[in-house]
Amino acid sequence: MHCEILGVKFDNVTMDEALARALSFLDGASPGGAVRARLVMTPNAEIVMRCRRDAEAHGAVCAADLALPDGVGVVIASRILGRPLRERMAGIDFAEALLPALAARGHRLFLLGGAPGVAEEAARRAAARHAGLAVCGTRDGYFTRDGDAVAAVRAAGADVVFVCLGAPKQELWMRAHAAATGARLLVGLGGTLDVWAGRVRRAPALWTRLGLEWLYRLLCQPRRLWRMLKLPKFLWAAWRARGEEKRVKNKQ
Ligand code: UDP
């Protein structure tokens, strides 16, 4: 089941359904037996706004095999538009929930992104949390040639890549290079490795439950203000789209 929000299609799934879909991507072969790289993306309000003015970013986000609503803004917009998403699903929560299954099934995970040292530290801590997790490689996200990162993933023999390059760089990279990496599942996860490596603190659970994770992030990283100013614009755009949809319906 899909839910379209300002031109971006989201999968209206629960966390359990999202995990099951991701794992089925790892099992599945395409017709003809070839294995196709599948993409999971986690767009938030800021990316949806970017997609409205950037056709390349929009094309990349539309290439997702599974698109999960990261951020309370997307969920509020879905309610404004009268087609509510069932769950807000932060990319980092989805990734964390996926780790035990990757460990149990012995899939090989590559962590790509963040400043030098971040992916290594994130890998070390993730492996300590999940016994048996096979992190087959890491690489920072400040490479100058895309081909170097692709070659690193390929050489590591990764099944799964967590791509943490920020938006829309990670979506563009995934769309352009997924097939060449040899991996079967690539997941775009923004600043997840910074949190796993202990460089950035996540909002306490209560803030998240109240839908205020964005405010916590703003207080910890005030430089995000200009990015967050897009949220009211996004909600206003959803409101206008709802009016437009109603007008079209009434005419029919
Ligand atoms: N990043 C990267 N390469 C780049 C630009 C950014 O690896 O060329 C990383 C950056 O170090 C950070 C992440 O991408 O770890 C983006 O984090 P941010 O919190 O902005 O992402 P969000 O979760 O908000 O999408």
Side-chain angles (χ1 to χ4, degrees), residues 34-210:
V35 173
R36 177 164 86 76
R38 304 295 200 114
L39 310 181
V40 178
M41 298 190 190
T42 55
N44 59 14
E46 191 185 350
I47 305 175
V48 175
M49 289 304 273
R50 172 76 183 236
C51 286
R52 282 161 70 81
R53 59 181 166 81
D54 179 342
E56 223 187 331
H58 187 244
V61 171
C62 288
D65 295 285
L66 180 62
L68 305 174
D70 182 355
V72 73
V74 177
V75 175
I76 295 174
S78 75
R79 293 191 190 137
I80 291 174
L81 287 161
R83 34 181 182 272
L85 284 160
R86 285 192 280 168
E87 265 185 44
R88 169 200 170 224
M89 218 173 299
I92 188 169
D93 291 331
F94 172 75
E96 189 68 48
L98 195 56
L99 291 180
L102 298 184
R105 291 159 151 245
H107 292 302
R108 294 164 65 79
L109 173 66
F110 193 100
L111 301 183
L112 173 65
V118 166
E120 285 90 331
E121 181 60 19
R124 210 180 52 74
R125 294 188 185 201
R129 285 197 303 279
H130 300 280
L133 182 69
V135 182
C136 62
T138 60
R139 164 139 206 158
D140 72 73
Y142 292 88
F143 43 84
T144 44
R145 287 183 314 187
D146 282 5
D148 294 346
V150 175
V153 175
R154 197 170 183 89
D159 302 308
V160 182
V161 190
F162 287 174
V163 187
C164 304
L165 305 173
K169 184 173 175 178
Q170 64 200 14
E171 288 78 11
L172 294 168
W173 190 91
M174 285 159 74
R175 186 198 192 187
H177 303 297
T181 62
R184 277 178 287 170
L185 178 66
L186 294 93
V187 189
L189 290 167
T192 294
L193 299 183
D194 291 328
V195 176
W196 283 359
R199 303 276 176 109
V200 171
R201 270 183 61 182
R202 243 197 124 183
L206 179 65
W207 289 63
T208 306
R209 264 205 307 281
L210 294 174

